[in-house]
Amino acid sequence: MERASWHEQLGTELYGSDFSFVRFPIRSNVREGLLGYTEIINSSLVFSAYLQGIFPWYNEDDPVLWWSPDPRFVLPVQEFHMPRSAARFLKNTPYTYTMDKAFVDVITWCANVKRRDQNGTWIGNDMIDVYCELFERGIAHSVEAWSGTELAGGFYGVLIGKVFCGESMFTLRPNAGKSAFILFMRAFETCGGALVDSQVYTENIARYGARNISRAAFLRMESELLPARLHSDMRTAFAEVARQ
């Protein structure tokens, strides 16, 4: 019998005994990082993809497209730097911040908020269902900024080992999403986090020190960091950072 890979073992440990690992082919010559497509999407398939440095990204009416870009846009935690304006804002922030308090609301806002130069959304109902299940299994997480009892901004992503895979952010009030991200980074570093995967270039994350690396380098890093463990609980660390 073939020995199970670390992907399968880690997947079962984090997802549950009903995890069904699917191995994706990664070819060096794929156009723009598009590996292929499937007709279905479910949480086990998506988690299999993340364990291999792959993610789904598609329009709701299209087949499910699976991506592994080369280069990959990442933010090493040790290279994170905070703009001075953000530091000044956080000293007197009008918001309160939480983690994993309103995942459904955060992903729904990310799907529906109006964005400049963007028509529609890639976060369809099937994607929302998948990530909500990953949240229920403790794999996906949200960070929220609140203005009183109303959401002012936030973001969500997938946390595996020492890697956080950022998915989407929304902002309804000035600096809400950005300040929530900075607090998350402080807590992530405190817990021993090593890498934020931003997948492809965004100006928003570039300002914090993110850069492109080769796909091969990214996959080598993931093979070390995904099976690793944070040395303290992220929710506890975030709550402490948010109180400061």
Side-chain angles (χ1 to χ4, degrees), residues 33-53:
L34 178 59
L35 301 182
Y37 70 92
T38 60
E39 296 295 338
I40 65 167
I41 186 170
N42 57 54
S43 60
S44 182
L45 185 59
V46 169
F47 194 43
S48 291
Y50 275 102
L51 292 171
Q52 299 166 81

Side-chain angles (χ1 to χ4, degrees), residues 59-239:
N59 294 320
E60 192 168 21
D61 295 332
D62 295 335
V64 182
L65 304 180
W66 301 92
W67 300 83
S68 179
D70 192 5
R72 191 79 169 222
F73 197 58
V74 300
L75 175 56
V77 170
Q78 295 303 316
E79 298 178 24
F80 170 74
H81 61 81
M82 179 170 53
R84 291 180 180 178
S85 60
R88 290 194 297 269
F89 179 84
L90 278 168
K91 287 182 179 180
N92 297 290
T93 178
Y95 308 124
T96 56
Y97 303 90
T98 57
M99 184 172 181
D100 289 346
K101 294 298 184 183
F103 185 90
V104 175
D105 293 331
V106 167
I107 194 172
T108 301
W109 271 113
C110 286
N112 295 313
V113 72
K114 301 295 184 182
R115 304 179 192 275
R116 185 177 59 184
D117 301 325
Q118 180 177 322
N119 295 320
T121 179
W122 56 271
I123 308 173
N125 291 330
D126 289 345
M127 289 279 274
I128 291 174
D129 290 344
V130 161
Y131 284 90
C132 285
E133 181 170 349
L134 290 175
F135 170 72
E136 292 297 327
R137 292 176 182 266
I139 296 167
H141 299 272
S142 62
V143 176
E144 303 88 19
W146 301 88
S147 178
T149 59
E150 296 183 353
L151 273 174
F155 63 93
Y156 76 96
V158 169
L159 178 61
I160 310 174
K162 295 188 175 184
V163 179
F164 180 75
C165 307
E167 284 300 320
S168 186
M169 178 184 291
F170 78 98
T171 295
L172 301 178
R173 301 198 178 191
N175 298 309
K178 296 175 184 178
S179 57
F181 177 71
I182 290 170
L183 293 177
F184 172 85
M185 290 298 294
R186 288 178 178 174
F188 195 39
E189 181 177 16
T190 297
C191 292
L195 189 71
V196 173
D197 172 26
S198 191
Q199 301 169 348
V200 295
Y201 177 86
T202 67
E203 183 178 347
N204 183 36
I205 303 302
R207 74 185 63 188
Y208 301 112
R211 56 185 171 85
N212 279 324
I213 62 174
S214 70
R215 177 168 51 204
F218 173 74
L219 293 177
R220 285 195 300 270
M221 294 176 71
E222 283 218 320
S223 68
E224 297 177 2
L225 296 175
L226 294 182
R229 294 289 183 271
L230 297 177
H231 53 64
S232 50
D233 179 70
M234 267 297 299
R235 291 191 188 93
T236 301
F238 185 85

